[in-house]
Amino acid sequence: MQSVRTLIVGAGVSGLATAAALPPDDYLILEADSEIGGYCKTVRRDGFVWDYSGHFFHFKHPEIEAWLRERMQGQRVRVVEKRAFVGYKGRLIDFPFQKNIHQLPQDEFIDCLYDLYFARAPRELLGPHEPPPPPPANFKEMLYRRFGRAIAEKFLVPYNQKLYACDLTRLDPDAMGRFFPHADLTDIIRNMKVADNTSYNSTFTYPEGGAIEYVKALASAVRPEAIALSEPLIGIDLASRVARTPRRELRFDRLVSSIPFNRLLALAGVDHDPAVWTWNKVLVFNLGFDRKGPREPHWIYYPDPQCVFYRVGFYDNIFDTDRLSIYVEIGLPAGAASTARGDGSVDVGALRERVLADLRRQGVISEHRLVAEHSVVMDPAYVHITGASLAEHARLSAVLRQSGVHSLGRYGGWTYCSIEDNIVEARRLAATLEAASS
């Protein structure tokens, strides 16, 4: 039986970043796929460069960006000021919608402003002895409480229902954390005269070779022979600290996993309630056309329930190229039938035709000819962060840590985070593990 000090499961950003932060003779990485990258893979087809979905990097830590760029010699990295819009009833509204309600037709603007004002319940509207309302119980209630009925029902509720493919009352009020574009009444009024639509990703970077270039940069700090491709984890004996793959058994001192947390629990034989862990899946179409499309947006959000996709991103406007190159995202429920099929599988062909029809209806394409395409189903895509998942993740993570097993990343942490967050978390965990063993 082979022994390894640190066994890492998953050769995506989190796994590679963990290995890169450990001593070089310390680890072995198991990767079920035949190549590294996880969802940060890049596809090249007929002159188009696409990712599995839009993976754009917005750094809060300059030292991490510098470290990555040092390992991307010869790769031109574009720095882009984001231009994002909401496609609403045939017009483009600046994103975030809630800060730009003044761009709506007058009657809709008045509805939004009126409902917003009274939803915020200024103190003077409460009786002198009336206590403030309790905190919102779920994500949907938070949207109504913060922004009022009109803003919630015109954009925030329908868009997020399309994205998460679930009833929003299931989600924790803070399910999107710092990534949700909150705005108070003062922000919204001020934005009517002095536009300020900054957000966590107002400026982003993107390499001309696609998101895989960042993955390669991480991998450059990892021993190639320490990455075992096409070797999935199929079981863990926590008591003896032994992991099994189809090829071998591996004794480990500690195990770091970025696979979905519920899957890790099952592989480790940890008793848990599967109903706690829910998620959506996302069908991504990457489409290349023979001519240019809209020239301004980097991406557009679509709340209309009759439109099959929730977002379209424009690679050609990032790369400044002369052919329309887009990614189109469709949120689908994970466990139930996603289309007319009854087995939960995705009818990619039927959805492709709906996508092309809706792109025409939304004015993204007209006489364009499709010349290249690619599609992928991301499953899981966005996890559903609920009160139960937060509590159970904390409890069961403690159980796993007692046997030297650590779970991290978007899926291992069952959370909503950026790619940079994954790198920060991986480095922090590596430092903690090294400090504990020294």
Side-chain angles (χ1 to χ4, degrees):
M1 184 184 297
Q2 183 179 346
S3 295
V4 60
R5 190 178 182 210
T6 308
L7 184 62
I8 299 171
V9 183
V13 168
S14 296
L16 292 171
T18 302
L22 289 170
D25 59 348
D26 179 65
Y27 54 80
L28 173 68
I29 304 175
L30 299 177
E31 171 53 55
D33 203 355
S34 60
E35 55 186 310
I36 64 173
Y39 283 161
C40 277
K41 294 183 179 69
T42 297
V43 179
R44 293 176 176 271
R45 194 160 294 176
D46 299 317
F48 295 94
V49 178
W50 303 309
D51 294 333
Y52 269 29
S53 187
H55 293 301
F56 307 115
F57 290 70
H58 32 87
F59 291 96
K60 297 190 300 176
H61 300 270
E63 71 281 4
I64 291 179
E65 182 176 19
W67 187 91
L68 290 166
R69 287 207 185 195
E70 286 173 5
R71 290 158 176 77
M72 297 166 64
Q73 297 299 318
Q75 182 67 215
R76 194 148 68 104
V77 180
R78 289 182 172 262
V79 179
V80 183
E81 295 290 332
K82 181 187 72 174
R83 298 189 302 273
F85 302 90
V86 175
Y88 182 78
K89 295 185 178 180
R91 65 174 68 193
L92 293 182
I93 306 297
D94 284 333
F95 182 85
F97 183 89
Q98 52 268 37
K99 289 182 70 174
N100 292 286
I101 55 175
H102 58 284
Q103 298 176 12
L104 295 169
Q106 185 180 37
D107 58 337
E108 295 197 61
F109 168 48
I110 291 172
D111 284 345
C112 288
L113 191 59
Y114 180 92
D115 289 348
L116 171 69
Y117 179 79
F118 286 102
R120 302 304 294 231
R123 191 69 210 179
E124 61 267 22
L125 297 182
L126 297 173
H129 305 295
E130 188 176 347
N138 56 64
F139 190 71
K140 186 174 184 178
E141 186 177 326
M142 180 274 291
L143 297 177
Y144 276 90
R145 289 264 208 98
R146 278 187 174 269
F147 301 104
R149 179 193 56 80
I151 292 176
E153 293 179 0
K154 291 178 189 301
F155 176 68
L156 293 172
V157 170
Y159 173 78
N160 283 291
Q161 282 179 340
K162 289 174 71 176
L163 168 67
Y164 285 105
C166 75
D167 184 338
L168 299 182
T169 60
R170 285 184 46 81
L171 303 183
D172 184 78
D174 197 35
M176 293 182 67
R178 68 181 176 88
F179 300 94
F180 185 86
H182 288 290
D184 61 25
L185 185 59
T186 302
D187 294 330
I188 293 168
I189 298 297
R190 183 183 294 117
N191 215 51
M192 296 175 188
K193 293 283 283 185
V194 182
D196 179 9
N197 295 315
T198 55
S199 63
Y200 71 91
N201 60 352
S202 295
T203 300
F204 63 89
T205 62
Y206 192 71
E208 290 192 325
I212 193 64
E213 298 300 330
Y214 283 113
V215 173
K216 291 178 182 177
L218 287 167
S220 71
V222 176
R223 290 183 298 112
E225 67 274 15
I227 304 175
L229 298 175
S230 301
E231 186 168 1
L233 177 71
I234 61 173
I236 307 172
D237 185 328
L238 292 177
S240 59
R241 298 198 181 191
V242 171
R244 289 184 296 109
T245 81
R247 302 177 191 172
R248 53 185 163 172
E249 292 188 337
L250 296 156
R251 181 176 288 111
F252 60 85
D253 291 336
R254 61 255 184 125
L255 184 149
V256 176
S257 170
S258 61
I259 66 175
F261 190 69
N262 60 329
R263 194 178 305 164
L264 176 65
L265 294 173
L267 291 173
V270 175
D271 186 40
H272 66 284
D273 180 2
V276 168
W277 316 101
T278 61
W279 61 93
N280 80 340
K281 56 190 174 188
V282 170
L283 170 60
V284 181
F285 285 101
N286 291 310
L287 304 174
F289 296 86
D290 63 341
R291 66 191 72 181
K292 191 72 174 173
R295 292 183 176 273
E296 189 174 6
H298 293 128
W299 52 85
I300 303 175
Y301 304 91
Y302 292 95
D304 181 1
Q306 301 307 310
C307 179
V308 68
F309 43 77
Y310 63 83
R311 179 168 58 182
V312 175
F314 296 78
Y315 287 111
D316 55 305
N317 290 337
I318 294 170
F319 287 132
D320 193 24
T321 54
D322 59 2
R323 295 189 298 172
L324 177 62
S325 176
I326 58 177
Y327 65 91
V328 180
E329 295 173 314
I330 303 170
L332 300 167
S338 301
T339 62
R341 297 178 178 184
D343 58 359
S345 61
V346 178
D347 189 341
V348 175
L351 287 170
R352 175 185 178 277
E353 295 311 306
R354 284 195 63 189
V355 163
L356 292 172
D358 283 347
L359 287 172
R360 290 190 181 91
R361 187 162 49 251
Q362 297 293 343
V364 177
I365 62 174
S366 55
E367 302 303 316
H368 294 69
R369 181 169 62 89
L370 183 65
V371 296
E373 61 182 296
H374 163 263
S375 66
V376 61
V377 176
M378 301 168 70
D379 183 10
Y382 292 92
V383 301
H384 296 158
I385 301 171
T386 67
S389 74
L390 290 167
E392 282 297 271
H393 189 277
R395 182 181 71 85
L396 294 170
S397 291
V399 172
L400 291 170
R401 283 195 299 270
Q402 291 175 356
S403 298
V405 176
H406 306 266
S407 190
L408 82 172
R410 171 174 285 201
Y411 301 108
W414 209 260
T415 189
Y416 194 115
C417 60
S418 73
I419 295 172
E420 185 190 35
D421 291 337
N422 296 150
I423 298 172
V424 171
E425 182 187 18
R427 289 182 171 187
R428 185 182 300 123
L429 175 60
T432 301
L433 294 176
E434 288 304 291
S437 61
S438 62

